[in-house]
Amino acid sequence: MFSRRMRCIGGLVLTSAVLLTGCGGGGKAASTEEAGSSSEKAEREIHYFSSRSSSDDTLLSLQEVTDSYNKEGGKIKLIIDSNADRSSYDQKLRTMIAGQQMPDMFDLDASPYAVELGNQGMLTDMDQFLDEIGEKDSYIPLALNYGRTSDGKLYTLPLEFSTEMIWYNTEIFSDAGIQEAPKTLDELLADCKILKEKGYTPFGIGGGDGWPLLRLLATYPFRLSGNDFLNRLASGEAKMEEEPGVKASEFMAEIGQYFQPGFSTTDVATGLNLFLSGKVAMYPTGTWELNYFTDEKRPEQLKLGYFYMPSCEGAVTKPNEYWAFGGIGLAVNPKSFDKEYKDYLSYIVKNYSKVYFSHQHMTPQKVETGDSSKFDPLFVKVMEDASKIGETAARPWDVVLKEDVVSVINDNLPGLCMGEETPEDFRKAVDEALENNR
């Protein structure tokens, strides 16, 4: 279904220039002249508190790079404490930091909490670090700048570059008489109606995890205003009663009738399995789950396609502008960021992306592709799409807005989608939360 042709994608994800060398050369471990011989050096422990699964390729890649660093004379032991439940992770991280037990490095979104920590001098300035080692230009701007806080500061390094799309079962679409993927939000709703009338469940969604519903809620506002409406909500200059908020709430009230039964308590993993088993027609996710859809992993009977965020009448953003970001970033404790730690992190920056790319993931830095035959054609196709992304990308609401506001939205969205709460009541609840959290 997808072309096997591979081209070097310049300027965004891939480039014909070799910007990152292999783990044997793009940076070096601390020299024996500076730190003594390897046999004399004590092993340095770096504690990393991660919000990712222990089997995540980001963590496996970091360990591979650490092993290479040590082979070149380094003496670093990377100790990873993994907590993949995000709400639990966030709570534990705050407890650790409040108790003066900040890890050496940890995962952190560019949230209001990051602004708070940064203002207290508790985070390392990554702009300064990347300038110091001359690596800022090696990053894809969309990936790096995703980690900037509302005041423009960069406190994290991206470990991935992700886009989001909606996958669809082409055989179900065809059986329902739908010949192509929807290009607009009106077409998406019309297709959902047809699918439901044909006896299919149009949407499988992990509503219990919160963010998939937030992504759909954010669609109309991004199409109508870019990130302006979201930023004005965060700053207290806008209300949900403005047109983007009205459109968003009405859209969720309508599309909610097409979700699978029990969607509000379904987690993302269950939503994925519903789609892979052919029980739902569509499933929204990001490229971090791309390996489930490749030729090697995809169920043989499943025929699929995908489409990116649909547009709408009056849109100010382009069809090739949608969800694209660096994901949760890597923050560093400035109190432990000494010369040895800085040398190690420099090595990571100069070598990580090539290793991560070898696991068939899009990377936050520009890398050379090499022989395309070793890559799955779907991976190649998604990378080609990424080369055409516009200059603007949608910002997640749960990163930009304050936690208490996001909590109110998450508490009220399921009721809105199930018809238990009106769009007007939903907007009122959100506006009250915004007012209370100025």
Side-chain angles (χ1 to χ4, degrees):
M1 177 176 180
F2 298 101
S3 169
R4 293 183 179 271
R5 177 178 55 84
M6 180 66 167
R7 64 168 182 255
C8 281
I9 302 177
L12 182 63
V13 177
L14 309 169
T15 178
S16 57
V18 181
L19 294 178
L20 300 178
T21 58
C23 285
K28 64 185 183 67
S31 70
T32 55
E33 292 180 346
E34 294 176 352
S37 68
S38 297
S39 61
E40 296 172 350
K41 284 167 51 182
E43 189 173 52
R44 168 73 177 274
E45 292 185 349
I46 298 292
H47 292 258
Y48 174 25
F49 184 40
S50 175
S51 63
R52 309 168 197 270
S53 162
S54 59
S55 61
D56 193 291
D57 281 338
T58 54
L59 302 188
L60 299 179
S61 297
L62 279 173
Q63 187 59 61
E64 286 183 48
V65 175
T66 302
D67 292 343
S68 295
Y69 178 78
N70 290 335
K71 287 178 182 177
E72 294 191 18
K75 296 286 280 187
I76 295 293
K77 182 177 182 180
L78 181 61
I79 300 176
I80 301 174
D81 178 9
S82 175
N83 187 337
D85 181 278
R86 278 302 297 275
S87 60
S88 173
Y89 169 85
D90 289 339
Q91 182 178 5
K92 184 176 179 181
L93 177 64
R94 286 173 177 264
T95 301
M96 293 168 72
I97 292 176
Q100 316 240 335
Q101 295 179 322
M102 179 183 283
D104 296 313
M105 59 188 187
F106 51 96
D107 292 336
L108 184 69
D109 272 316
S111 62
Y113 181 55
V115 175
E116 179 184 327
L117 294 177
N119 288 341
Q120 297 174 35
M122 298 177 69
L123 297 174
T124 298
D125 185 331
M126 289 304 177
D127 270 325
Q128 182 178 327
F129 170 66
L130 291 176
D131 285 337
E132 182 180 331
I133 65 174
E135 287 293 329
K136 188 175 290 183
D137 288 343
S138 73
Y139 282 88
I140 299 162
L142 279 176
L144 190 66
N145 291 331
Y146 174 76
R148 293 194 181 279
T149 55
S150 58
D151 55 359
K153 300 294 179 61
L154 183 68
Y155 297 119
T156 63
L157 295 175
L159 294 178
E160 56 190 310
F161 180 67
S162 302
T163 58
E164 292 185 16
M165 63 278 283
I166 297 176
W167 295 87
Y168 68 101
N169 186 311
T170 57
E171 290 188 334
I172 289 179
F173 266 50
S174 178
D175 185 63
I178 304 171
Q179 302 304 318
E180 60 181 10
K183 294 182 174 62
T184 69
L185 292 168
D186 284 342
E187 289 177 1
L188 174 61
L189 291 172
D191 288 348
C192 285
K193 186 174 185 295
I194 293 171
L195 289 164
K196 187 173 182 179
E197 290 173 348
K198 290 287 186 178
Y200 294 108
T201 300
F203 245 96
I205 193 166
D209 285 335
W211 67 262
L213 294 177
L214 278 173
R215 294 292 201 270
L216 289 175
L217 178 72
T219 302
Y220 255 112
F222 178 70
R223 285 302 182 211
L224 294 175
S225 74
N227 292 307
D228 178 68
F229 178 69
L230 172 60
N231 291 334
R232 289 192 300 111
L233 281 179
S235 65
E237 301 172 47
K239 294 181 179 295
M240 284 293 289
E241 284 300 333
E242 294 182 19
E243 182 188 12
V246 171
K247 287 282 191 180
S249 58
E250 291 177 347
F251 173 71
M252 294 304 293
E254 187 166 358
I255 199 169
Q257 64 185 301
Y258 301 118
F259 297 157
Q260 84 276 11
F263 74 90
S264 64
T265 57
T266 300
D267 60 20
V268 169
T270 303
L272 171 64
N273 288 330
L274 286 173
F275 179 75
L276 293 177
S277 61
K279 296 177 181 177
V280 297
M282 287 178 280
Y283 171 70
T285 189
T287 49
W288 57 87
E289 288 190 329
L290 189 63
N291 60 318
Y292 290 103
F293 306 121
T294 58
D295 288 347
E296 181 181 357
K297 296 286 188 68
R298 184 179 68 249
E300 187 175 350
Q301 73 278 9
L302 179 63
K303 309 302 179 185
L304 53 78
Y306 63 87
F307 58 93
Y308 294 103
M309 181 191 290
S311 191
C312 66
E313 184 178 351
V316 300
T317 54
K318 300 174 183 176
N320 68 334
E321 294 173 328
Y322 40 81
W323 300 107
F325 37 69
I328 190 168
L330 185 71
V332 169
N333 183 346
K335 290 185 177 180
S336 60
F337 199 46
D338 57 14
K339 188 173 183 178
E340 184 180 20
Y341 186 0
K342 186 176 293 187
D343 184 83
Y344 169 59
L345 189 62
S346 299
Y347 191 90
I348 289 175
V349 168
K350 295 175 182 180
N351 294 281
Y352 168 82
S353 281
K354 184 172 183 180
V355 174
Y356 190 54
F357 182 71
S358 71
H359 290 282
Q360 298 201 60
H361 293 290
M362 296 194 297
T363 62
Q365 290 162 288
K366 306 159 192 172
V367 298
E368 186 180 345
T369 63
D371 181 11
S372 65
S373 64
K374 59 186 177 182
F375 297 112
D376 187 275
L378 177 58
F379 178 57
V380 173
K381 176 66 169 61
V382 170
M383 285 195 300
E384 289 181 339
D385 293 344
S387 72
K388 303 167 187 174
I389 294 177
E391 297 181 359
T392 300
R395 297 278 295 177
W397 284 34
D398 48 342
V399 171
V400 177
L401 298 177
K402 291 183 178 179
E403 289 184 20
D404 288 347
V405 176
V406 174
S407 179
V408 169
I409 295 175
N410 283 336
D411 287 346
N412 286 271
L413 261 180
L416 174 64
C417 295
M418 290 186 285
E420 298 173 352
E421 183 172 334
T422 67
E424 293 80 9
D425 287 340
F426 173 80
R427 296 194 297 271
K428 181 179 179 181
V430 176
D431 283 337
E432 286 179 354
L434 290 166
E435 181 65 29
N436 293 334
N437 287 274
R438 283 181 177 270

